[in-house]
Amino acid sequence: MVNGSVSVVIPVYNNEKYIGEAVGSALSQSCAPLEIIVVDDGSTDGSAEAAAKAFPGVRRVTLPHSGVSRARNEGARAARGEYIAFLDADDLWEKDKLEKQLEAMRNNPEARIVLCRLRDFVSPDLSPEKRASYMLKGEKTGYHAGCMLIRKSDFLETGGFPEDRAIFESVEWFIKVREKGFTTIVLEELLMHRRIHENNTLQKDKKKIDEAYFSLIRDWLGKKGGG
Amino acid sequence: MYEVNAPDIIFEYMDCNLIVIDGVEGLYYASGGTGAEVFRALEAGYGEDEICAALKNAGAGFDADRAVRQFIRQLVDYRILREAPGRKAPGDFPPFPADGMDQPPAITRFDDLQELLLIDPIHQVDVGEGWPFVK
C-alpha cells in the first residue's frame, strides 16, 4: 500500500468537543494520509487550537468565519496531496476508508470520484434519554463531502463548493460534477459515520429551507430546459 | 375538497408554471398551462365540479370532467394533495385564462436529484425540534 497521497481537509467551526475524535479517525487510517489540514472557520471556542495542541503534526489554516464551503475550498487549495478527502469535525471514518477508496481509484482509472456509504449515529456523550429520543434513518449512499475521495486537480476544476449557498451546497456541487460528466464510483461499504448531536450546524428556518429548495430546483430545471 | 400535503410538500408559481417539491422523498414536480391553473384552484379550496365547469366555460379543448378527475387522482397518489372534507373556497371561482385551454392538466414527476436531496440532512429538520425528528 502506498501511503502519503491524500490530504485530509477538516473544516471546523466551534466544535472543540468532537474535533479530536475526527482528527484521530483520520490519523488512524490503515493508509496514512500525507497530511491533515484543519481549517478553522473563525471558531471562538478554541477548536483548532485544541486540535493543534493534541496533534502537533496537523496543519492549520485560519479564516474569518465564512461558512463550510469556503473552509473546504481553502483547505483544498492548501493541500499538497494528489487526492483530497474531506471530513467534518464531528464525523468519523472507518479505519480503512482511505485505503479502500484509493484502491478503487487505482482499479478504475476512469474514476474521478470515489464515494462510500454513510450512517448517522447519535453521539455517545448525550444522555440516554436524549439518545433514545432520536430517530435515525439507515445507511445512505454518500453524496456527502465526508464520503468522498477526489483528486485535487479535479476538485479545483469543479470550482469548489459554492460559497454563496448556505444550504444544499453539497447538492449543488454534486450536480456540477454530474454535469461535467465525472465518473463517480460508489463503494457499497459503510465507511463514514455522521454524528448527530445537540449542536449540529443545521438550518431550522423553514422559510429559508423552502427558498433554498426552490432556488436549487429552479436552477436545475433552467439548466435542463436550456440544454 | 383537497389541500396541499404540508409540510412535506411545498410549491411555488413561477410565471405560469408550477414547481412542487416533496422534501421527504427528494422528488420534485413541474406543471404548466391548465395543470398549474387547476392546481391553483385546488389548493385554494375549490372543488372538482367548480373547476370542471370553469374549464368548460373557458373553452377547454378536452374532456374536462375526465381530465380533472385523473389529474386529482395523480396529485393524491403522489401525496401532493390530500382530501380535506368540509374545506371551503374563499369565494366565487375566478375565471381561467382563455389561453392554453387546449391541453388537459398534467404534472411531471422528477427523481433525478433524489439521492442528492435525501443525503442532505436538511430534509430531516423538524422546524420546531431541529434535526432529526424527535419522537
Side-chain angles (χ1 to χ4, degrees):
Chain A
M1 178 55 56
V2 180
N3 288 345
S5 54
V6 180
S7 293
V8 177
V9 174
I10 304 179
V12 59
Y13 177 67
N14 289 347
N15 223 326
E16 184 182 11
K17 197 171 181 181
Y18 301 122
I19 188 171
E21 282 185 71
V23 174
S25 163
L27 278 173
S28 62
Q29 288 294 298
S30 56
C31 177
L34 169 70
E35 61 181 352
I36 296 171
I37 304 170
V38 170
V39 185
D40 182 7
D41 182 25
S43 296
T44 55
D45 70 345
S47 302
E49 289 88 343
K53 192 174 172 187
F55 306 100
V58 166
R59 285 179 66 196
R60 191 170 149 199
V61 173
T62 303
L63 302 173
H65 183 50
S66 38
V68 68
S69 289
R70 184 168 173 222
R72 286 180 183 143
N73 293 343
E74 291 295 336
R77 279 189 273 270
R80 297 169 182 147
E82 179 183 358
Y83 298 96
I84 292 170
F86 298 99
L87 174 63
D88 286 349
D90 43 6
D91 294 341
L92 301 170
W93 286 337
E94 289 289 324
K95 279 180 183 267
D96 51 359
K97 191 253 187 197
L98 294 182
E99 181 181 346
K100 287 188 169 166
Q101 291 189 309
L102 280 168
E103 187 183 356
M105 278 282 189
R106 292 194 187 99
N107 293 339
N108 299 277
E110 77 285 4
R112 311 285 289 270
I113 297 172
V114 177
L115 300 174
C116 62
R117 294 180 69 76
L118 77 80
R119 174 178 279 165
D120 296 328
F121 74 102
V122 179
S123 195
D125 59 299
L126 301 187
S127 69
E129 294 77 22
K130 189 77 184 170
R131 285 171 52 76
S133 73
Y134 287 103
M135 184 179 75
L136 303 185
K137 305 214 170 171
E139 282 184 29
K140 302 165 189 175
T141 302
Y143 289 97
H144 180 284
C147 292
M148 178 166 71
L149 182 72
I150 185 171
R151 282 185 186 80
K152 176 180 175 177
S153 56
D154 283 340
F155 181 75
L156 295 180
E157 186 185 324
T158 69
F161 289 98
E163 297 179 9
D164 58 346
R165 199 183 280 282
I167 305 175
F168 294 134
E169 73 283 347
S170 292
V171 177
E172 184 174 314
W173 186 82
F174 277 108
I175 288 174
K176 195 161 36 173
V177 161
R178 187 185 285 184
E179 288 173 317
K180 281 183 166 290
F182 278 18
T183 301
T184 301
I185 288 180
V186 182
L187 301 181
E188 291 302 319
E189 291 173 81
L190 174 65
L191 300 174
M192 216 288 272
H193 300 271
R194 183 166 59 185
R195 186 191 303 263
I196 309 306
H197 55 90
E198 292 176 300
N199 298 315
N200 286 103
T201 309
L202 292 162
Q203 181 58 252
K204 296 179 188 174
D205 185 328
K206 169 88 170 123
K207 195 176 170 198
K208 282 187 181 169
I209 295 170
D210 290 355
E211 283 170 1
Y213 257 127
F214 286 123
S215 169
L216 187 81
I217 298 300
R218 273 196 307 267
D219 289 352
W220 177 236
L221 284 170
K223 283 178 186 169
K224 290 208 299 186
Chain B
M1 300 300 174
Y2 299 88
E3 65 186 1
V4 173
N5 190 18
D8 295 356
I9 300 294
I10 55 175
F11 64 94
E12 73 165 15
Y13 299 100
M14 198 170 60
D15 301 324
C16 298
N17 297 310
L18 167 72
I19 296 174
V20 177
I21 297 173
D22 181 343
V24 173
E25 297 295 331
L27 302 169
Y28 63 99
Y29 303 83
S31 181
T34 52
E37 293 299 332
V38 171
F39 183 88
R40 195 191 298 270
L42 287 165
E43 59 100 352
Y46 293 102
E48 189 176 326
D49 292 344
E50 293 166 288
I51 294 170
C52 288
L55 280 171
K56 289 172 193 170
N57 285 340
F62 49 86
D63 180 343
D65 295 321
R66 185 162 173 267
V68 170
R69 198 164 48 243
Q70 281 184 346
F71 186 59
I72 291 174
R73 192 185 313 137
Q74 192 176 32
L75 294 172
V76 171
D77 286 348
Y78 285 158
R79 299 176 51 258
I80 294 171
L81 293 183
R82 62 187 170 212
E83 291 192 39
R87 187 168 181 229
K88 287 186 179 171
D92 292 338
F93 193 95
F96 278 121
D99 295 338
M101 284 292 125
D102 52 336
Q103 293 294 321
I107 192 162
T108 307
R109 179 179 186 262
F110 297 95
D111 63 2
D112 54 350
L113 296 181
Q114 190 174 31
E115 279 190 312
L116 301 182
L117 291 172
L118 289 184
I119 201 72
D120 197 298
I122 211 77
H123 77 283
Q124 290 172 271
V125 169
D126 179 289
V127 174
E129 301 285 351
W131 177 67
F133 295 122
V134 175
K135 285 287 195 184

